[in-house]
Amino acid sequence: MFVDCRQLTDGSLIETDLCIVGAGAAGIALAREFAGHAAKVAVIESGGFEQEEESQSLYEGTVTGFPYRSLDSMRLRYFGGSTNHWAGNCRPLDEADFLERPWLPYSGWPFKRHTLIPYYERAQAVCGLQAFDYDIESWSNPGKLRTFQFDPGKLLTGIKHKSKPLRFGTAYRDELDRVSNLSIYHHGNLVDIESNDSASHISGLRCLCLTGTSFRVVAKTYILATGGIENARLLLASDRVQRGGLGNGYDLVGRFFMEHPHGGIGNIVLSDRFTLVQLYRGETIRNAFVKAVVTLSPELLAGEELSNIYFNLGARLSRSEGERSASEILKYAREWELPDDLGTHIGNVIADLDDVADAVYHRMTDDADPIGTLSLHCRVEPTPDPESRVTLAAQPDRLGIRQVDLSWRPGALALKSFNRGVEVLAMEVGRIGLGRMRIRPSGKNGWPPGFGVSGHHIGTTRMHRRPDLGVVNADCRVHGIDNLYIAGSSVFPTAGCNNPTLTLVALALRLADHLKKHV
């Protein structure tokens, strides 16, 4: 059932067993898990069913440090959250991402990757994908789906899956509307988390609509699933009982903000323009769209003490005038017609006869298209840094909550890893005769001009067994508070270099399984 909070009687009280704040990827994944459960569930969503300027403006804030886009442009504040502009890229974190790495400060998750595998398998379907299979051997073959023969001690080829992509708010709206034990309250904003006098138990949520209508939610258990910045902001702003905000006894809330530096870095000029690159530019295989990606090997990362890095290759067709003319003639011939400028096209074919013959041969033998260059895109793992953080500014938003000030720094190790990764890739591209790399020169900050951010907000309520090193424990419960949990990528201790959506959904499913035993 969907309820418009603006239609509630002012001062209304909503009583439930479980309250989920936020209806993005994590919130919707959680809500679906409780369908038919004995617990009564309420979801509080700030926006409606489409983007609205007034709701979106609540994300406004200030940014200092490494260049960043305006905060209100980075997330979507309506049902489905930022899956409404999600590209659909999915890849689980690597094994090494979960480990404590002595050269990477504050690294290490409270569990190993194998703990998440059953939840990754379930998350795969939630994200609209086929079977959970990221083994390169399952998708490559000696034919046209071959991989480049990089030195496996330096570079590895892996797989990412890509959904259509799936818009959670659209895909799951009707399903959630039919769940009898679930109510979704839209156009309602959490403005204060209320607790007992010792800040060890949440007693309620004070909520407000932009129209002025207020209401309160009382539940047995609460989950914040509002994103990597808003989760921290809401804890920091709820400071009436605990100075500095709830769950912030060790001044960790909002710290360790991480983003993935990413962008185009140049291209590979191929030695053979009929190099088979199908798997690297993306192919639909067994109803799954998969794409090969290139990463540094774990041995190289550990041996040279680097953070994780990921290269994405994109193919650009390169046809001569003769090839384009031959294609145009064939297009008309299929309709038993001739192009008006037939003579020009025939002249182009004759002038480029060798290229045309080469293209025909490859089309007949291996179905290869002529590729001039492979564009290079890179994403780098940022360094967990307590000074990269979300704090509250003096300026309040329209609801009276202080806006965010974000200070982000990717870290010197990220830049070092980027430069070394590009160097290794260039050497391997030359060694195997693939071609030569053309790389954009570094800008003033050491990164290539135009290198930006991925829109991945990570780490501000990080997970750790110890309360002096993390905001939540291994079950995503806030340390020191018995009934408050956090979902989403804000709990990641490290960011890895892969897209976070699949992992945050897997963590949400794991949290749901944990809570089903207690709610």
Side-chain angles (χ1 to χ4, degrees):
M1 178 177 69
F2 287 90
V3 179
D4 189 335
C5 297
R6 298 170 297 185
Q7 305 304 316
L8 295 173
T9 301
D10 190 42
S12 293
L13 175 64
I14 297 169
E15 295 181 286
T16 188
D17 296 311
L18 174 65
C19 178
I20 302 168
V21 183
I28 288 177
L30 280 161
R32 293 181 71 241
E33 286 296 303
F34 284 90
H37 191 270
K40 185 178 179 182
V41 181
V43 177
I44 309 299
E45 166 57 39
S46 172
F49 299 112
E50 58 185 28
Q51 187 170 348
E52 300 167 2
E53 185 176 346
E54 283 189 323
S55 293
Q56 194 67 23
S57 70
L58 297 174
Y59 279 141
E60 291 177 356
T62 56
V63 178
T64 56
F66 198 82
Y68 208 77
R69 299 199 296 270
S70 62
L71 296 182
D72 58 323
S73 70
M74 301 298 288
R75 283 290 178 272
L76 295 179
R77 202 176 180 106
Y78 63 102
F79 190 63
S82 294
T83 66
N84 288 300
H85 64 185
W86 179 45
N89 294 307
C90 286
R91 180 171 160 82
L93 293 180
D94 299 326
E95 183 77 40
D97 294 331
F98 291 83
L99 304 178
E100 183 178 349
R101 291 167 274 174
W103 64 92
L104 187 68
Y106 303 98
S107 59
W109 289 53
F111 47 78
K112 300 296 192 295
R113 185 177 186 267
H114 66 80
T115 301
L116 272 191
I117 293 298
Y119 302 102
Y120 271 135
E121 292 172 346
R122 287 162 55 185
Q124 188 87 352
V126 175
C127 291
L129 301 168
Q130 300 299 316
F132 180 80
D133 186 352
Y134 290 83
D135 184 353
I136 185 64
E137 301 300 327
S138 299
W139 307 101
S140 61
N141 60 55
K144 69 176 183 177
L145 298 178
R146 66 185 64 167
T147 58
F148 301 144
Q149 297 305 300
F150 295 129
D151 180 348
K154 296 179 179 177
L155 295 176
L156 299 177
T157 296
I159 284 292
K160 74 174 180 181
H161 289 245
K162 186 178 176 71
S163 73
K164 289 190 175 179
L166 190 75
R167 308 300 184 210
F168 280 42
T170 301
Y172 296 121
R173 179 175 172 178
D174 289 344
E175 173 192 323
L176 294 173
D177 195 22
R178 294 191 297 267
V179 176
S180 60
N181 64 312
L182 172 67
S183 298
I184 298 177
Y185 296 85
H186 57 89
H187 288 99
N189 301 275
L190 171 59
V191 295
D192 188 37
I193 306 170
E194 302 170 338
S195 72
N196 61 2
D197 291 341
S198 60
S200 61
H201 181 85
I202 303 307
S203 55
L205 305 179
R206 188 165 62 87
C207 302
L208 187 63
C209 302
L210 284 168
T211 56
T213 301
S214 66
F215 61 98
R216 190 165 175 265
V217 182
V218 173
K220 296 176 182 176
T221 304
Y222 304 84
I223 305 174
L224 292 184
T226 60
I229 290 179
E230 291 294 298
N231 281 344
R233 181 191 182 197
L234 289 167
L235 290 174
L236 292 170
S238 300
D239 59 356
R240 289 192 297 169
V241 173
Q242 183 170 351
R243 185 178 179 182
L246 290 172
N248 201 25
Y250 290 91
D251 190 27
L252 292 176
V253 173
R255 292 188 184 273
F256 298 99
F257 176 83
M258 291 175 284
E259 246 283 16
H260 287 125
H262 90 140
I265 62 173
N267 54 57
I268 300 173
V269 181
L270 296 172
S271 299
D272 178 359
R273 67 195 187 101
F274 287 98
T275 300
L276 294 172
V277 299
Q278 278 86 336
L279 197 57
Y280 290 89
R281 71 180 184 183
E283 282 284 313
T284 299
I285 307 170
R286 302 191 298 276
N287 296 319
F289 184 82
V290 296
K291 195 175 189 302
V293 297
V294 178
T295 61
L296 299 186
S297 71
E299 295 82 6
L300 183 65
L301 293 173
E304 300 194 19
E305 299 188 343
L306 304 173
S307 57
N308 216 339
I309 187 169
Y310 154 122
F311 294 101
N312 191 56
L313 283 60
R316 295 177 181 172
L317 293 178
S318 177
R319 290 192 172 100
S320 67
E321 284 293 324
E323 290 171 85
R324 286 194 289 270
S325 287
S327 179
E328 189 73 3
I329 292 170
L330 286 173
K331 183 180 73 174
Y332 276 87
R334 293 189 188 99
E335 304 296 327
W336 298 96
E337 297 179 0
L338 294 174
D340 294 337
D341 46 357
L342 177 63
T344 300
H345 286 309
I346 291 176
N348 290 338
V349 170
I350 294 172
D352 293 333
L353 196 56
D354 287 346
D355 287 341
V356 173
D358 208 19
V360 170
Y361 170 78
H362 283 283
R363 174 59 67 177
M364 292 176 63
T365 56
D366 55 26
D367 196 29
D369 289 318
I371 307 295
T373 61
L374 293 175
S375 60
L376 287 173
H377 176 279
C378 175
R379 185 182 299 118
V380 188
E381 178 180 22
T383 304
D385 180 352
E387 295 307 314
S388 182
R389 62 186 302 196
V390 168
T391 57
L392 298 182
Q395 178 69 27
D397 66 15
R398 292 185 58 189
L399 297 171
I401 306 175
R402 291 163 64 190
Q403 291 182 345
V404 161
D405 179 70
L406 173 66
S407 177
W408 175 53
R409 52 187 76 186
L413 179 59
L415 182 57
K416 170 191 170 183
S417 302
F418 165 77
N419 286 325
R420 179 57 177 148
V422 170
E423 181 182 33
V424 171
L425 179 61
M427 292 174 66
E428 282 295 290
V429 164
R431 184 188 65 80
I432 66 176
L434 182 61
R436 68 183 190 278
M437 276 175 55
R438 295 188 301 200
I439 302 300
R440 296 174 184 170
S442 299
K444 292 181 180 179
N445 60 8
W447 298 90
F451 217 74
V453 294
S454 304
H456 302 157
H457 299 165
I458 300 169
T460 56
T461 61
R462 69 194 317 264
M463 184 191 302
H464 202 280
R465 291 187 181 92
R466 290 169 44 181
D468 60 331
L469 290 175
V471 176
V472 301
N473 67 12
D475 293 322
C476 297
R477 180 178 60 79
V478 176
H479 284 295
I481 303 179
D482 62 8
N483 63 339
L484 178 61
Y485 294 79
I486 297 182
S489 54
S490 69
V491 305
F492 292 14
T494 52
C497 62
N498 297 324
N499 296 76
T501 304
L502 186 69
T503 299
L504 72 86
V505 171
L507 284 171
L509 300 180
R510 180 174 178 266
L511 173 57
D513 278 5
H514 172 74
L515 290 176
K516 286 173 188 175
K517 304 171 186 176
H518 304 285
V519 176

